[in-house]
Amino acid sequence: MTRPGTSHAMERSAAIVLLDQYVHDAGLRKHCLATGAVMKALAARLGEDAGFWEMTGILHDIDFELIHGDMQLHGAKGAEILTSAGIDPGMARVVQRHNHHLFPGTYTSPVEIALQAADSASGLVIACALVKGGKLSDVTVKTVTKKAKEKSFAAGCDRDRIALIEPIITLPEFYAVAITGLMAIREDLGLT
């Protein structure tokens, strides 16, 4: 799917087509798109391959509905799907290893670390928008920083996984990048 001369827009659309074959829940689909948007913005900020990072984010939970809650299969099943679809083996490996229940504390590459942080931060930023009436445009770094300190707020968003990004970029910078990334797809997320 990552081919020389192929535009990132085509890569994104191809990733979404593949995602839609396996993910039918609207909330999970939005989560995958949001994670991809954060990954793309972060890659651009860090000088990495934005298309590869965005597609990795979009496809990271492609197997979630298939595994029926069996976290021993999560990631591995996704990697199988990506491999059989002819996706870059490096991307399949990142998707396989993103399951922090199976691979805790083993993330060293920037894309793996970014996926850990983006996976949780995307939900945190969206939750901040929802308490502002769905207005992502009203969410600031200060909002996200404050809400992140409230453990009961968006409790499913793992702050420890978000904090993994700190050796690469400060948390305030990361939140700013995440907000910018999500703003780019806010219509897809049903936000303003």
Side-chain angles (χ1 to χ4, degrees), residues 93-157:
R93 182 175 186 275
V94 174
V95 167
Q96 178 172 1
R97 289 181 39 79
H98 95 275
N99 181 345
H100 64 283
H101 298 286
L102 296 180
F103 297 98
T106 64
Y107 305 108
T108 56
S109 74
V111 69
E112 286 183 329
I113 293 166
L115 184 56
Q116 290 302 305
D119 194 4
S120 282
S122 60
L124 179 62
V125 174
I126 290 169
C128 290
L130 294 176
V131 299
K132 291 185 172 284
K135 294 186 181 199
L136 183 60
S137 54
D138 287 350
V139 175
T140 65
V141 171
K142 184 178 177 182
T143 307
V144 180
T145 302
K146 181 180 175 193
K147 289 295 192 181
K149 292 176 184 169
E150 297 175 24
K151 292 183 193 229
S152 62
F153 181 79
C157 301

